[in-house]
């Protein structure tokens, strides 16, 4: 006749362990959420000769800008094709998903030709 295994003895968790673990997890998530982009973390912008012309840069170069991945790079290129060239950095805010904060992070890395007169 088969025997049933003996139950494993358990003991309750200390009462403050679960809430403590929850607080640690929230603190870690908050740290990830508020992580600062590189330009605000003290990294100097590229020298002028290495800045990107967003009117001519291909997608893989646009992805080098802080906070710009493949999706936003594609949106910049699409905006360029539909609307035309950017004449000042503020026009980047017309691109979907680029707001004032992301534009401010990108600005030191962007080089635009002088506006036409």
């Amino acid at each position: 006749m088969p025997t049933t295994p003996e139950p494993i003895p358990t003991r309750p968790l200390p009462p403050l362990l679960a809430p403590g673990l929850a607080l640690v997890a929230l603190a870690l998530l908050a740290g990830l959420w508020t992580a600062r982009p590189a330009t605000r973390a003290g990294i100097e912008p590229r020298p002028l000769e290495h800045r990107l012309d967003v009117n001519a840069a291909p997608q893989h170069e646009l992805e080098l800008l802080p906070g710009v991945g493949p999706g936003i790079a594609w949106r910049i290129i699409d905006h360029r094709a539909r609307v035309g060239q950017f004449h000042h950095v503020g026009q980047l805010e017309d691109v979907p998903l680029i707001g004032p904060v992301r534009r401010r992070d990108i600005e030191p890395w962007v080089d635009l030709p002088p506006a036409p007169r």
Side-chain angles (χ1 to χ4, degrees):
M1 166 188 265
T3 61
T4 58
E6 225 177 273
I8 299 173
T10 59
R11 57 178 202 214
L13 291 174
L16 296 178
L17 183 63
L21 289 175
L23 286 174
V24 168
L26 284 174
L28 289 172
L29 288 174
L32 293 175
W33 182 264
T34 60
R36 296 182 302 167
T39 55
R40 287 186 279 157
I43 297 175
E44 292 297 318
R46 299 176 188 182
L48 182 60
E49 68 263 16
H50 293 105
R51 293 183 181 184
L52 290 180
D53 179 357
V54 293
N55 289 321
Q59 181 170 349
H60 70 276
E61 287 182 5
L62 291 170
E63 291 175 22
L64 297 174
L65 294 169
V68 175
I72 294 177
W74 180 86
R75 285 175 173 83
I76 292 171
I77 292 169
D78 181 60
H79 188 273
R80 251 182 0 209
R82 286 184 300 103
V83 178
Q85 291 193 339
F86 297 95
H87 299 293
H88 58 84
V89 179
Q91 289 177 311
L92 284 169
E93 290 185 35
D94 297 337
V95 176
L97 300 181
I98 296 182
V101 173
R102 184 167 282 143
R103 187 218 15 103
R104 195 171 50 245
D105 290 343
I106 292 171
E107 191 168 356
W109 304 80
V110 170
D111 185 29
L112 291 174
R117 295 179 184 219

